[in-house]
Amino acid sequence: MAACRRVQRVLLLMFLSGWICCAYGGKSQTLDDDNVMDNVERRKNQGGEGKAPADAASDTIRRRGAWKLAEEAACREDVIRICPKHSWNNNLAVLECLQDPKDETEIAGECNHLLWNYKFNLTKDPKFETVASEVCKSTISEIKECATVERGKGYLVSCLVEHRSNISEYQCNQYVTKMTSIIYSDFRLICGFMENCKDDINTLHCGSINLGEKDIHSQGEVIACLEKGLVSEAEEQPGQYTIKEECKKAIMRVAELSSDDFHLDRHLYFACREDRERFCENTPAGEGKVYKCLFNHKFEESMSDKCKDALSTRQKLIAQDYKVSYTLAKACKPDLRKFRCNMDAAMPRAREAKLSYLLLCLESAVHRGQTVSGECQGEMLDYRRMLMEDFSLSPEIVLHCRNEIDTHCSGLHHKGRTLHCLMRMSRDKGIFEGHCQKALQTLIQETDPGADYRIDRALNEACESVIQTACKHIRNGDPMILSCLMEHLYTDKMVEGCEQRLLELQYFISRDWKLDPILYKKCQNDAARICHTRGWNETSEFMPPGAVFSCLYRHAYRTEMQGRRGASESSDVNTKVSASLSRDCKTEVQRILHQRALDVKLDPELQQRCMTDLGKWCSEKTDTGQELECLQDHLEDLVPNCRDVVGNLTELESEDIQIEALLIRACEPVIQSYCHEVADNQIDTGDLMDCLVANKNQKEMNEKCVVGVTHFQLIQMKDFRFSYKFKMACKEDVLKLCPNIKKKVDVVICLSTTVRNDTLQEVKDQRVSLKCRKQLRVEELEMSEDIRLEPDLYESCRQDIKQHCQNVVFGNAQVIECLKENKKVLHPHCHQKVFKLQETEMMDPELDFQLMRVCKQMIRRFCTETDSKNILQCLKQNKNSELMDPKCKQMITKRQITQNTDYRLNPVLRKSCKADIPKFCQSILNKATDDNELEGEVISCLKLKYADQRLSPDCEDQIRVILQESALDYRLDPQLQLQCSDEIPRLCAEEVAAQEQTGQVEECLKFNLLKIKHEGCKKEVLNILKESKADIFVDPVLHTACALDIKHQCAAIPPGRGRQMSCLMEALQDKRVRLQPECKKRLQDRIDMWSFAAKVAPAEGFSDLAGQVFTSPAKTYILSMLAMSVVLLFLMGLLCGRITKRVTQELKDR
């Protein structure tokens, strides 16, 4: 039978006599010692081997009766020296004492020789089987294999040894245990071992098989040497020798049969005796308990090196055959049978026996939701931890990672540190190829640390403090611990060592979706349906790392067929199958994506496709999150494959900004204050980012959050698809109206131009859809906040920004405002862009970010019902209200100054004076350029025509408003400022310094008209005087002084065209009317000024003269006199004509 080939029958009558004596309480022995000795002598003669040295004294002892091993001359001194006296009469006790001394005491060679020959020859006697049949009678009947064995050849004892774990009878168990210890004391007593391994022993120089050449201690060394040779062969170490298959089986069988009691592994027993006393003193022998205890203390500093070496060899044998572990084989035997883990006909027997195969098979059952016994799972956990602690237990790691270990990871202690060093090397290289990386990935799958972080001792030790603080609410060993650690990555609670170990492990977990047990549990059905995955322990060599998770997250965010880049090319997506994920799977995919987005190395597809670009553009960007930001910044420069994957990820971020975990952490205060409702939504769809952008300038906003939000806005400008809401609202419009346009800013310009043209042409059906127009408005408003969001403007003005606005921070449109204030000194190209921007803002004040921000409250107060296009007009009308905020008033004035520099910046004036401007100011238009201000020349031209009362009513109304505004503030008259730039500070410094302008500077210039030297300035002041004659409202000082008199004297007279001014002049001349002293004084001053103006600037032509007459306060008188003169001349003409006619007739008559 098979047992015959495994264990030699042991028929040791010395053992029997001692054992039976003990078992039956000292009764007479069942076998006569004389007969025994006779049998021994007969055996010697028959075998012709092993002549034991026996002197005369020993022969006498034998003949006298009971033979005592302690009385043999060869061993007497050793027995007295080593063994306690009470054991001398018990041959078994003496044998155990000499065989297993408690210290390193040497035994005489003759004694060793005697013991060896004695045991070896006694193994031939079938009488030992008879005793076994008596002692183990009930046990034999219970064990079917032993009940049917052929008797008389020693097979029965072999069978009992093999099934000793099933023996419950005390006496039989004691018998077999003692017998086993004798067998394993010398490899030559093991059935077939010497025959099967003779050549291998000699080749490997493991010792001699000749009798007597090695003492009892060295016999275990022979097996240990063969075991190391077997391990070296598995690791393919240089110069290794291939052991014969028969010897391999014999070695593994010996290791298996010695797995329950560490005494049976002679080499390990002697190597670890002291360590056993130190670490496992209270651990009873048997059932593999001492092995397990020593394994647990293997990396203790006080553990001896020889014991560590012996333990490692034992563990490596377990890795090759799980049966070498008694506890694992026993605990998992039912589960292995239940899940058919050792019945795969297609799998070689050696592969089935490997520990890795057992772990994968049982872990697969666990992940499928099937029940594996708790005892077996506990054993699996121990051995998974063992593999993670010591890389040398995995032959593939030793074989394929030898160079990496020698170069980068040598000298490290175990406890998983060497393995983590290799993991770090793979992560830093970023290339998941080669045998070493594959071996590491295989080991991570076998040990499955994602299911229980405690399996990874290096991670467990490094992260203990973090787990105790940040993850203490999670049950110890729960898979969510790793998720919790990832959520606290790069936070204050994370420590550097834990961060490194965590990322090293996650690098490999991210490359095989099955290694995240929560993800696998919730998504295995979806993955099989959509991504065509296989079982947990089945991996396709053709599927690239991370491909399944990429497939899952693409479908998790595909709310509809969006046509993302690369989707049609993906081989793992079957478009004919429903692409929707279950809610639990989608939630889990989003959770993992949020965590892994912190590091590009945790995205295998991204790292693989972008390896070249990362080295080219981002070699210096190594801080957290910088690599992805760098790739996004260089999107246009990336190779196509990399650009596609970065673009896809950026699209996902626009839909779910929580993927940007660092940004979300930085913006936590703002989110809690303003965006908590959208943040709590399970589905984001871009709402959270919109909220952050809208509240970017709140006081709770910190610098990191502002930078992060702005960066994402800048990235969005590279492709309109990076703005989720804009893409969803306008994708059809873009395809129809703006094909082949990619950049968001260009798409916005294209669509907004279309909207504007349709509006101006009053098209009934707008070409841009309503939902797109609404979202387009949002995008335009967002772009106005930061000049960097308008790339064309930013690039054109980059040099001017450095020169004039270097200390101005971006955001809040501050840089744009700085450029506006320095517009006169900008480079031409930048100046043109700023002018165009201002033109757009004046047409649509909502795009004027600074105006809308500063005047936000005033708009709510005064302009709630005003159309967005007329907000600035509304604010101007309420500018002088007592309720107007000073800062807003100042901003309104700035915009008025800007508007008055060029009629094109005043849309209302431009529309109202559409016909008047080319009619009266064509000469100015002829020399104008499209992108440069006219410095108020057109408006000045219209002012003069207003004084001449030649404008159309609508245009006249707008010019009157401008005149009234500029009369209060000289800064609103660009020509006055330009021409009087030297005179104003010289003559009116005090008035200029006034906190609020109410016409003081203009009044000062009027009174100092004679002191003005610059002709251009003098002309502008005279024009002001001329304009004031046309309407009292454009003279705020006079109007204020005469307001009461106008009310009493001119209430019935409508304003405009100089009518109220004429009324006041007539009242001044009427002695019956008493005007207010201040009004009277101001009127007299104006008359003097006008008289002086008339002298200084006489009419230049008939039209000018007519204008002066019509604008004169004495217009009625002048016109009356002119009419009388014309009538008088007509009468005189008639009279003279008759006289001349009579004279001529008389002359004819003559």
Side-chain angles (χ1 to χ4, degrees), residues 161-229:
V161 170
E162 185 171 359
H163 292 85
R164 65 185 185 276
S165 60
N166 297 324
I167 298 176
S168 57
E169 189 177 0
Y170 177 76
Q171 293 176 354
C172 181
N173 187 59
Q174 290 292 314
Y175 161 74
V176 174
T177 299
K178 296 298 182 183
M179 178 191 66
T180 305
S181 66
I182 293 171
I183 291 176
Y184 283 92
S185 67
D186 198 308
F187 72 93
R188 289 168 293 180
L189 299 179
I190 301 172
C191 173
F193 191 91
M194 186 168 62
E195 291 80 3
N196 291 333
C197 296
K198 179 177 180 180
D199 296 336
D200 299 293
I201 292 172
N202 286 330
T203 304
L204 292 171
H205 305 291
C206 291
S208 173
I209 62 170
N210 296 327
L211 301 178
E213 289 193 11
K214 299 185 79 67
D215 62 25
I216 192 64
H217 292 262
S218 68
Q219 298 307 311
E221 300 292 340
V222 176
I223 296 179
C225 174
L226 289 171
E227 290 174 344
K228 290 182 177 180

Side-chain angles (χ1 to χ4, degrees), residues 633-872:
D633 290 338
H634 292 87
L635 188 66
E636 299 87 349
D637 305 317
L638 305 180
V639 297
N641 284 340
C642 179
R643 185 165 59 244
D644 287 346
V645 70
V646 173
N648 285 335
L649 183 56
T650 309
E651 277 191 69
L652 292 184
E653 288 181 350
S654 71
E655 182 177 351
D656 183 5
I657 193 58
Q658 295 192 55
I659 293 174
E660 283 274 10
L662 294 178
L663 174 62
I664 297 302
R665 291 174 189 170
C667 298
E668 188 64 28
V670 182
I671 293 174
Q672 291 300 323
S673 300
Y674 301 98
C675 310
H676 60 277
E677 293 183 359
V678 293
D680 294 338
N681 292 340
Q682 188 173 5
I683 301 175
D684 188 346
T685 64
D687 291 330
L688 183 54
M689 176 50 76
D690 285 351
C691 180
L692 289 174
V693 171
N695 294 280
K696 191 165 72 168
N697 300 298
Q698 298 291 347
K699 60 181 180 180
E700 290 85 356
M701 183 69 72
N702 56 65
E703 184 179 358
K704 286 185 179 180
C705 183
V706 172
V707 171
V709 172
T710 303
H711 177 267
F712 194 76
Q713 288 181 286
L714 294 173
I715 297 305
Q716 287 181 322
M717 304 310 296
K718 295 177 181 290
D719 194 322
F720 79 96
R721 287 173 290 188
F722 295 166
S723 299
Y724 178 74
K725 286 193 170 183
F726 184 54
K727 173 185 67 178
M728 298 305 295
C730 297
K731 59 182 179 181
E732 295 178 0
D733 301 274
V734 172
L735 291 174
K736 181 175 64 175
L737 302 171
C738 311
N740 303 321
I741 298 180
K742 180 179 177 182
K743 289 186 177 181
K744 178 181 174 181
V745 63
D746 296 333
V747 171
V748 170
I749 292 172
C750 171
L751 293 176
S752 59
T753 302
T754 304
V755 172
R756 184 183 64 184
N757 292 339
D758 288 350
T759 303
L760 293 176
Q761 296 172 14
E762 299 180 355
V763 176
K764 185 177 181 180
D765 295 325
Q766 291 259 358
R767 286 176 289 174
V768 179
S769 63
L770 178 60
K771 63 177 182 179
C772 181
R773 292 203 302 271
K774 290 181 178 179
Q775 191 59 37
L776 182 63
R777 188 66 178 168
V778 173
E779 302 299 331
E780 289 176 330
L781 295 176
E782 289 181 3
M783 289 168 58
S784 67
E785 187 267 340
D786 194 319
I787 190 173
R788 293 173 295 180
L789 300 180
E790 300 193 43
D792 191 27
L793 174 63
Y794 181 57
E795 290 301 322
S796 300
C797 296
R798 188 185 289 269
Q799 184 177 349
D800 293 289
I801 293 172
K802 290 181 180 179
Q803 185 174 352
H804 305 293
C805 309
Q806 57 181 349
N807 296 323
V808 180
V809 296
F810 291 99
N812 270 337
Q814 294 180 85
V815 174
I816 294 177
E817 196 67 21
C818 172
L819 292 174
K820 291 176 182 177
E821 292 173 356
N822 292 277
K823 188 166 58 174
K824 293 181 179 180
V825 295
L826 301 179
H827 289 84
H829 193 48
C830 177
H831 186 280
Q832 292 172 3
K833 296 293 182 181
V834 172
F835 178 80
K836 282 294 184 184
L837 174 65
Q838 289 180 315
E839 189 175 2
T840 302
E841 290 177 347
M842 292 304 177
M843 292 178 64
D844 190 351
E846 266 195 327
L847 301 180
D848 189 340
F849 187 87
Q850 275 283 15
L851 175 70
M852 299 302 292
R853 183 183 70 85
V854 174
C855 296
K856 185 177 181 179
Q857 297 300 326
M858 296 301 100
I859 293 172
R860 290 179 180 175
R861 175 172 293 172
F862 297 112
C863 310
T864 51
E865 299 180 0
T866 305
D867 183 78
S868 61
K869 306 290 185 182
N870 299 320
I871 286 178
L872 181 56

